[in-house]
């Protein structure tokens, strides 16, 4: 690659790729994909629409194809696997670890899965089948089933010799697990203690009781725990305390990223699978459902407005100012909603601190409501010169912003208790509440005070 064409960030890399594609510079494209690491290749593929992505697949070295497929978004993986035969998939997954094989086969049809299973090494096949036995949203689906574990009573010297002979350690290994004869987890031994402590000592002397995760635990809850404890490595056990796998730093990062991506998409009414270059029809379908739900809530707000047709007919200024009330309440509520959903994701809201949060957000809403009600009231008076209209909008802004903050706390907590994802439906419900309360308070007060 010529020096003047070197790129320093992702955007420059994309521009470089687009230029090479336009020029059909196959040598430069092949060189680029040889230099990039697996994660960079995956993110590059996700940065192009389907037709361009199909061209780029040709330049990925065959030896890296399986790892790249395991790393890209599920939609992209499914589109690629769809056109492959079972023998093609067999070649792609050859040499991959169980986690990567499980990711690739997750989007394949049952016939291909069965054929590829039969071609796998017996140990890898058992691990892949075990991973596929878990639901998609539990820890067991994300864990690495390969662990470095030794039995209790063994000397540190024997452990080191065993590890060297079998070449067990890799870049992701964090600790060595100590288990009993039934593979029940007794403790963990750090690699530092393994090397640093007297080699004639037995592992039992330096093992520590680890923090563990249950394999059936919801992955969103696990992500919150891991973030709060800042743990880069966690053993995973089943309900009987038997060691079944481990979460490494890479797994923890994947859980955190997936959880953050899902929350962000849900807050906007977008499906989990949608990415930037998802095909038009698929994107339209996934978003259309929530647009339809939003339309129903908009008609509810319109119905409320329709109940005050008489006052709107007489005072045009009310129609002009009405969106201000709904907008201020909507923004205030969404700020609170975002903070509360983040708190729920991090596991920060439970027990008595919920009451503190209610009180805090009510006071924040009332404080901001009072300040901005006076500001909007002043502007309204300068605009229309009508003290009654000024009084109505001042009171309505105060009421709506106060209740909006309270709703921003109440709605996600209620949805969480009902086992509904607050990020998925909280924003739609909050918008409805702030619109309805805003219009009703504004027009209701106008009816009482002005008419």
């Amino acid at each position: 690659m010529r020096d003047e064409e070197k790129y320093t960030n992702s955007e420059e890399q994309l521009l470089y790729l687009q230029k090479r594609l336009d020029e059909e510079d196959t040598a430069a494209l092949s060189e680029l994909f040889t230099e990039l690491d697996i994660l960079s290749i995956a993110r590059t593929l996700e940065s192009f629409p389907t037709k361009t992505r199909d061209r780029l697949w040709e330049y990925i070295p065959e030896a890296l194809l399986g790892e790249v497929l395991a790393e890209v978004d599920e939609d992209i993986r499914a589109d690629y696997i769809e056109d492959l035969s079972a023998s093609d998939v067999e070649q792609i997954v050859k040499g991959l670890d169980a986690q990567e094989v499980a990711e690739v086969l997750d989007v394949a049809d049952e016939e291909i899965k069965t054929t590829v299973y039969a071609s796998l090494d017996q140990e890898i096949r058992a691990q892949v089948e075990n991973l596929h036995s878990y639901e998609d949203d539990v820890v067991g689906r994300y864990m690495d089933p390969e662990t470095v574990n030794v039995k209790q009573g063994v000397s540190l010297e024997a452990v080191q010799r065993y590890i060297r002979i079998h070449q067990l350690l890799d870049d992701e290994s964090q600790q060595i697990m100590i288990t009993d004869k039934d593979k029940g987890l007794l403790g963990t031994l750090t690699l530092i203690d393994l090397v640093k402590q007297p080699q004639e000592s037995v592992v039992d002397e330096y093992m520590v009781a680890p923090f563990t995760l249950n394999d059936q635990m919801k992955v969103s809850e696990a992500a919150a725990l891991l973030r709060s404890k800042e743990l880069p490595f966690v053993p995973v056990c089943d309900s009987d305390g038997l060691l079944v796998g481990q979460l490494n730093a890479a797994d923890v990062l994947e859980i955190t990223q997936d959880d953050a991506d899902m929350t962000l998409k849900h807050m906007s009414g977008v499906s989990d699978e949608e990415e930037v270059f998802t095909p038009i029809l698929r994107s339209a379908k996934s978003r259309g459902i929530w647009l339809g739900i939003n339309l129903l809530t908009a008609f509810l707000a319109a119905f409320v407005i329709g109940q005050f047709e008489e006052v709107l007919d007489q005072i045009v200024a009310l129609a002009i100012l009405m969106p201000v009330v709904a907008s201020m309440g909507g923004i205030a509520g969404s700020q609170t909603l975002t903070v509360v959903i983040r708190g729920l994701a991090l596991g920060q809201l439970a027990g008595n601190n919920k009451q503190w949060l209610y009180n805090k957000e009510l006071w924040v809403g009332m404080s901001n409501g009072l300040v901005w009600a006076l500001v909007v009231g002043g502007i309204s008076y300068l605009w229309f010169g009508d003290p009654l209209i000024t009084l109505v909008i001042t009171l309505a802004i105060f009421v709506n912003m106060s209740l909006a903050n309270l709703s921003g706390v109440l709605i996600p907590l209620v949805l969480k208790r009902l086992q509904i994802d607050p990020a998925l439906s909280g924003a739609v419900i909050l918008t409805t509440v702030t619109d309805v309360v805003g219009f009703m308070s504004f027009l209701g007060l106008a009816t009482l005070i002005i008419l």
Side-chain angles (χ1 to χ4, degrees):
M1 193 181 300
R2 294 187 296 274
D3 290 340
E4 65 269 20
E5 292 178 328
K6 289 285 187 181
Y7 42 81
T8 58
N9 57 46
S10 298
E11 186 176 347
E12 289 184 10
Q13 178 184 304
L14 289 179
L15 292 172
Y16 174 83
L17 261 172
Q18 291 166 1
K19 184 178 179 182
R20 297 286 78 82
L21 282 168
D22 291 341
E23 296 173 352
E24 298 186 359
D25 190 344
T26 57
L29 289 167
S30 297
E31 181 185 355
L32 172 63
F33 280 103
T34 302
E35 294 175 349
L36 294 177
D37 58 40
I38 301 300
L39 186 60
S40 297
I41 294 175
R43 297 300 167 259
T44 298
L45 291 171
E46 292 167 357
S47 302
F48 286 94
T50 305
K51 288 185 178 179
T52 308
R53 194 184 294 144
D54 289 342
R55 292 175 61 191
L56 293 176
W57 283 112
E58 302 172 11
Y59 299 102
I60 301 174
E62 285 191 21
L64 303 180
L65 194 54
E67 293 177 83
V68 172
L69 271 177
E71 189 64 45
V72 294
D73 282 342
E74 186 175 318
D75 263 14
I76 298 174
R77 191 185 311 134
D79 288 341
Y80 187 81
I81 292 289
E82 187 178 15
D83 298 325
L84 299 181
S85 65
S87 59
D88 292 331
V89 179
E90 283 180 24
Q91 289 301 313
I92 287 173
V93 302
K94 190 174 292 184
L96 300 184
D97 63 32
Q99 273 184 307
E100 293 167 335
V101 175
E103 291 282 0
V104 173
L105 293 184
D106 213 25
V107 296
D109 60 40
E110 289 303 320
E111 185 178 346
I112 288 180
K113 278 185 185 178
T114 303
T115 304
V116 175
Y117 278 159
S119 70
L120 295 173
D121 171 82
Q122 186 174 355
E123 183 178 357
I124 294 291
R125 180 170 70 247
Q127 291 174 347
V128 172
E129 289 176 337
N130 184 45
L131 288 173
H132 278 159
S133 68
Y134 290 101
E135 298 293 331
D136 289 340
D137 61 347
V138 300
V139 168
R141 186 62 185 82
Y142 281 77
M143 71 181 181
D144 182 354
E146 295 184 10
T147 60
V148 180
N149 57 288
V150 297
K151 299 295 185 290
Q152 61 185 133
V154 180
S155 70
L156 299 183
E157 181 185 9
V159 172
Q160 284 205 46
R161 187 168 60 249
Y162 171 72
I163 288 173
R164 283 196 298 271
I165 291 172
H166 296 281
Q167 298 181 341
L168 295 178
L169 291 182
D170 54 30
D171 293 339
E172 294 187 335
S173 298
Q174 300 283 326
Q175 296 180 37
I176 295 167
M177 263 73 82
I178 316 301
T179 59
D180 59 24
K181 59 183 179 62
D182 298 318
K183 214 176 179 182
L185 182 63
L186 302 174
T188 61
L189 177 71
T190 66
L191 300 183
I192 293 175
D193 281 334
L194 176 63
V195 176
K196 177 181 174 182
Q197 303 301 338
Q199 295 301 290
E200 65 275 7
S201 304
V202 295
V203 293
D204 307 53
E205 297 178 45
Y206 298 101
M207 71 178 184
V208 295
F211 174 79
T212 63
L213 292 175
N214 183 271
D215 58 347
Q216 297 294 339
M217 185 179 192
K218 293 294 183 183
V219 75
S220 56
E221 297 173 11
L225 273 174
L226 297 176
R227 284 194 295 266
S228 65
K229 294 180 178 293
E230 298 183 351
L231 293 172
F233 165 86
V234 186
V236 179
C237 298
D238 63 15
S239 56
D240 296 320
L242 302 182
L243 180 67
V244 292
Q246 64 186 38
L247 286 179
N248 302 312
D251 305 313
V252 172
L253 179 60
E254 182 183 356
I255 290 172
T256 303
Q257 288 178 329
D258 287 352
D259 192 47
D261 287 346
M262 195 183 311
T263 299
L264 180 61
K265 289 176 178 178
H266 284 181
M267 289 185 73
S268 303
V270 176
S271 71
D272 297 348
E273 294 77 20
E274 185 169 346
E275 39 99 14
V276 176
F277 295 104
T278 294
I280 296 171
L281 290 178
R282 196 182 301 169
S283 289
K285 182 180 179 182
S286 71
R287 300 182 197 182
I289 296 172
W290 283 100
L291 288 173
I293 293 172
N294 189 68
L295 179 62
L296 293 176
T297 63
F299 274 117
L300 176 59
F303 173 78
V304 172
I305 296 171
Q307 304 308 301
F308 299 93
E309 186 176 353
E310 182 180 351
V311 70
L312 284 170
D313 284 342
Q314 295 185 38
I315 307 171
V316 177
L318 295 179
I320 296 172
L321 294 173
M322 192 164 57
V324 177
V325 180
S327 177
M328 292 299 288
I331 292 297
S334 64
Q335 289 172 336
T336 304
L337 183 73
T338 301
V339 171
V340 173
I341 288 178
R342 180 181 180 274
L344 288 172
L346 294 174
Q348 296 174 333
L349 299 180
N352 295 335
N353 64 6
K354 292 180 183 178
Q355 186 59 51
W356 184 91
L357 184 63
Y358 283 125
N359 294 334
K360 174 229 175 181
E361 289 300 332
L362 179 59
W363 279 105
V364 169
M366 291 172 66
S367 301
N368 277 333
L370 179 60
V371 170
W372 291 107
L374 293 173
V375 170
V376 174
I379 294 172
S380 300
Y381 185 76
L382 292 174
W383 192 349
F384 299 104
D386 188 327
L388 292 181
I389 289 178
T390 299
L391 176 61
V392 167
I393 195 166
T394 301
L395 291 174
I397 289 282
F398 176 76
V399 169
N400 198 27
M401 288 187 68
S402 300
L403 292 179
N405 271 42
L406 204 57
S407 299
V409 178
L410 186 62
I411 289 170
L413 292 181
V414 169
L415 290 173
K416 183 75 173 177
R417 174 163 290 190
L418 296 174
Q419 297 185 335
I420 300 172
D421 186 356
L424 185 60
S425 50
V428 174
I429 297 173
L430 178 67
T431 300
T432 305
V433 170
T434 54
D435 283 355
V436 169
V437 171
F439 296 145
M440 189 172 292
S441 60
F442 184 51
L443 298 175
L445 286 168
T447 302
L448 292 173
I449 295 174
I450 299 177
L451 289 188

